[in-house]
Amino acid sequence: DVKVTQSSRYLVKRTGEKVFLECVQDMDHENMFWYRQDPGLGLRLIYFSYDVKMKEKGDIPEGYSVSREKKERFSLILESASTNQTSMYLCASSLGTGERGYTFGSGTRLTVV
Amino acid sequence: GNSVTQMEGPVTLSEEAFLTINCTYTATGYPSLFWYVQYPGEGLQLLLKATKADDKGSNKGFEATYRKETTSFHLEKGSVQVSDSAVYFCALKETGNQFYFGTGTSLTVIP
């Protein structure tokens, strides 16, 4: 069964810490995405990547960066965590033009205290 | 630009009731349309899709018809079960790989 795996289900970090959220897919998908999910706001795109070492800003990239050194891994980095980055983070991947839809990971619920 | 508008939730239904969750979209071209479902504590899963006007997507008793004239893709199920309790997201994809999601509609089905 195809999978997108996010390294942590729950994470608690302190304000100002540098935080790494890891996402790995085993489907050889070219495209990978990071969203955050907040009540009433739905899913908002943070960053995405269509290829190794390539990245594009989504709708809310401020305070985040990403890394894609290998095709299967897409990391989201919170340079200096703040309380307003407390959220559910969802990683997704897709193949080609994306017509088959995204495959999502189970999510990481991050709390910044 | 592209956007998706879903009916506000939460929605609470009794088991075996009929379900409709409204979804309308705005797009500059001819998008593909999707419904995703998120069960408690999990990521989103693709439920069904339609890629062109008048297509009907269906899965697990759910169905939705791509209506270009009303720019809608409403989700329906004839008889809901407790196990259908989840959050449902409507989404569109136009050219390129990026999806645009609605805000989600929470459904609770009570026995």
Side-chain angles (χ1 to χ4, degrees), chain B residues 4-7 21-25 35 71-74 90-91:
Chain B
V4 176
T5 302
Q6 285 182 238
M7 66 183 284
I21 300 178
N22 290 337
C23 171
T24 57
Y25 68 89
W35 277 101
T71 61
S72 65
F73 193 54
H74 304 321
C90 185

Side-chain angles (χ1 to χ4, degrees), chain B residues 64-87:
Chain B
T65 301
Y66 188 147
R67 301 281 188 208
K68 186 169 172 232
E69 63 276 12
T70 54
T71 61
S72 65
F73 193 54
H74 304 321
L75 183 68
E76 296 181 336
K77 186 174 186 183
S79 176
V80 293
Q81 306 300 313
V82 172
S83 57
D84 294 326
S85 298
V87 180

Side-chain angles (χ1 to χ4, degrees), chain A residues 30-73:
Chain A
E30 303 94 333
N31 314 309
M32 297 188 76
F33 306 83
W34 275 106
Y35 287 85
R36 63 177 284 177
Q37 181 181 10
D38 300 288
L41 298 176
L43 277 71
R44 293 181 291 168
L45 182 63
I46 305 171
Y47 267 97
F48 59 101
S49 169
Y50 292 157
D51 201 353
V52 176
K53 296 195 186 293
M54 175 270 179
K55 60 185 178 184
E56 293 281 348
K57 292 180 180 179
D59 299 320
I60 52 162
E62 296 78 19
Y64 304 93
S65 63
V66 290
S67 172
R68 190 150 182 219
E69 296 296 318
K70 294 185 178 181
K71 189 176 186 179
E72 66 269 21
R73 185 181 296 270

